């Protein structure tokens, strides 16, 4: 692994606007470390704010999709997008939220073989098609989601999460940001092991 967080300047915490610094310190307090993506994005505070506001609007909702299902979309589409950071970081979150130490690896490699429900497979079929061949999305793809019980709001969330993390994947590719070491073991082994 590299010690470099980004190909672009990474500001010192003391040099950041108060709200950005406070958000980073809050994450550090909760996680025990600062995820590299926070430091990478802090290079441009206005974009940092917009990114995390949209991230939270999509990923912290409790309606329509579970928080684990939201992370499933990120991990599967980021695997298809070859984004190591998002697979590793969101894989850790997924393992914790799904209470399943295997599911993130399965989704990143081949979601069709993962320990998920048929409903979740349909969700990921749609997300993967949107991610890899978005111009081919048709009314029948949306209808297939409705057949599995997804309403318009949940379908929008599936699409918006897919689109948002396509952007996130590309920013990580641009910057060369590596995943933090602690992400690799989170949700795999019991705490204190």
């Amino acid at each position: 692994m590299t010690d470099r967080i980004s190909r672009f300047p990474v500001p010192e915490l003391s040099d950041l606007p108060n709200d950005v610094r406070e958000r980073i310190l809050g994450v550090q307090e909760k996680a025990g470390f600062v995820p590299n993506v926070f430091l990478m994005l802090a290079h441009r505070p206005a974009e940092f704010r917009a990114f995390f506001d949209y991230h939270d609007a999509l990923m912290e909702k409790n309606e329509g999709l579970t928080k684990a299902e939201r992370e499933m979309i990120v991990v599967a589409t980021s695997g298809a997008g070859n984004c190591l950071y998002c697979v590793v970081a969101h894989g850790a979150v997924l393992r914790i939220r799904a209470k399943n130490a295997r599911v993130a690896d399965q989704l990143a490699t081949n979601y069709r073989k993962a320990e998920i429900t048929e409903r979740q497979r349909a969700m990921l079929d749609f997300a993967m098609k949107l991610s890899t061949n978005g111009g081919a999305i048709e009314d029948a793809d949306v209808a297939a989601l409705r057949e599995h019980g997804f309403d318009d709001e949940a379908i929008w969330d599936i699409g918006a999460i897919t689109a948002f993390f396509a952007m996130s994947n590309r920013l990580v590719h641009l910057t060369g940001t590596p995943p933090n070491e602690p992400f690799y073991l989170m949700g795999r082994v019991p705490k204190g092991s």
Side-chain angles (χ1 to χ4, degrees):
M1 292 303 301
T2 179
D3 289 335
R4 182 181 73 178
I5 292 172
S6 177
R7 292 183 177 105
F8 297 86
V10 175
E12 295 295 326
L13 285 177
S14 59
D15 295 335
L16 292 172
N18 288 340
D19 63 315
V20 173
R21 182 176 51 254
E22 288 170 15
R23 173 125 192 199
I24 291 171
L25 292 174
V27 168
Q28 180 180 31
E29 184 176 324
K30 184 176 178 183
F33 63 96
V34 177
N36 288 339
V37 73
F38 281 78
L39 298 172
M40 175 266 284
L41 288 168
H43 171 63
R44 298 175 77 153
E47 292 172 32
F48 175 102
R49 291 179 190 102
F51 181 95
F52 286 109
D53 284 349
Y54 196 39
H55 171 278
D56 292 353
L58 290 172
M59 300 303 288
E60 298 303 324
K61 291 168 67 171
N62 291 312
E63 303 86 33
L65 306 175
T66 67
K67 288 183 179 179
E69 287 170 336
R70 293 168 190 281
E71 296 295 341
M72 288 177 182
I73 296 166
V74 178
V75 172
T77 61
S78 294
N82 299 310
C83 184
L84 180 64
Y85 185 96
C86 290
V87 167
V88 172
H90 288 274
V93 177
L94 173 57
R95 288 189 295 273
I96 292 165
R97 289 188 169 169
K99 297 177 178 57
N100 181 333
R102 297 176 303 276
V103 71
D105 296 327
Q106 294 168 354
L107 292 175
T109 305
N110 183 352
Y111 76 95
R112 290 176 188 91
K113 304 288 184 187
E115 300 169 10
I116 58 176
T117 67
E118 287 301 314
R119 179 179 184 272
Q120 291 164 340
R121 188 170 277 85
M123 172 187 77
L124 293 178
D125 284 341
F126 183 86
M128 293 296 280
K129 184 173 183 179
L130 181 61
S131 178
T132 61
N133 194 13
I137 293 291
E138 300 174 328
D139 290 345
D141 298 305
V142 174
L145 287 175
R146 288 194 179 106
E147 289 173 16
H148 285 276
F150 292 101
D151 64 13
D152 285 348
E153 293 303 308
I155 294 168
W156 182 280
D157 283 344
I158 295 166
I161 292 165
T162 300
F164 178 79
F165 279 93
M167 178 194 71
S168 180
N169 293 172
R170 299 317 175 264
L171 284 171
V172 169
H173 293 154
L174 168 69
T175 61
T177 301
N180 302 69
E181 284 294 320
F183 282 132
Y184 285 97
L185 293 181
M186 287 172 63
R188 292 187 194 278
V189 294
K191 286 187 177 184
S193 293

